[in-house]
Amino acid sequence: MKIGIPKGLLYYRYSYLWKTFFDELDIEYIISPDTNKAIMDKGLGYAIDEACLSSKIYLGHVEYLIGKCDYILVPRISNYGSEGTVCTKFQAIYDIVQNTFRDRGIKLLHYNIDYKNLEIEMNAFLKMGKFLGKRKSAAMRAYYLAKQAEKTARIMDEKHQEQLLNEDKIKILLFAHDYNIFDKHIGKPIIDYLNEMGAVPIIGDLADKKSALAKSVEISDTLPWKYSKELVGSIALYRERVDGIILISSFNCGPDSLVNEIIIRRVKNKPILNLTVDGQEGSAGMETRLESFLDIIKFKKDDYRG
Ligand code: SF4
């Protein structure tokens, strides 16, 4: 049996968990490639216009995997209990994929996360192991090893980021969902450009998630979405250690339109640039905006130093 893993949306949060779980259970898997123009165009073709760019790209990744594996992994996330809920896309994506590709003979592997109804992650993975024909003890062992791998990867990322925060260069906090900032088509060009310009990109999503969740209330205590709260908390954690903040959203994102507005109103002591990526524009416009933003920060720093 071969599982297909679309490289979009939850992949960037759970890749270590998924890959280690399948590796330990000796299940073969294939991951769709980095987003490229062909994948994005496919996704744009399948999605409705109103959908956000990130979910459109996700459909392109699913399409890439059809015919290359037996099942495609599409989890359904509803909520994380007291930590918050998620954008409706994560609740609906299983049904969207199922319906979009209903004529293509697609078979989905899924699990549900719904803490309010006691569907916790461990149980979800045990059920998935059972579906894959594995003994409960084997699935349990694979899950614990996968959690360990996930934790180790996060600690490494946090340590690396801490080193970057200590660099004596202009540091820019990138406020963006992991599936946007790490996507080769959406976030990677922005990271690359900042590096080229000698600035240090600090990734909000790599902040310690528990600390970020706790700190998020300093900026807003009413947000419902866990992933947005973690990102907002990264501003609270890092704002005194960075020179500016870039809010990066994919076009048509509902939650970001609200969250970005809250940040712009409440975070007053840092220059903020609001960038929306629609996947269609060339790089020139984006680079001009980034260059101007960096110039403003440099002028401010020079003024401050006298
Ligand atoms: S939070 Fe925004 S970008 Fe992310 S899935 Fe929801 S609508 Fe799309």
Side-chain angles (χ1 to χ4, degrees), residues 9 52 54 87 89-90 177 179-180 250 252-255:
L9 295 183
C52 66
S54 317
C87 159
K89 286 285 178 316
F90 295 101
H177 294 288
Y179 45 86
N180 289 334
S250 67
N252 260 353
C253 172

Side-chain angles (χ1 to χ4, degrees), residues 9 50-56 86-90 93 177 179-180 186 225 227-228 248-257:
L9 295 183
E50 293 75 16
C52 66
L53 178 63
S54 317
S55 62
K56 289 177 178 174
V86 289
C87 159
T88 49
K89 286 285 178 316
F90 295 101
I93 198 72
H177 294 288
Y179 45 86
N180 289 334
I186 300 180
W225 309 290
Y227 305 159
S228 299
I248 303 163
S249 302
S250 67
F251 183 66
N252 260 353
C253 172
D256 279 6
S257 61

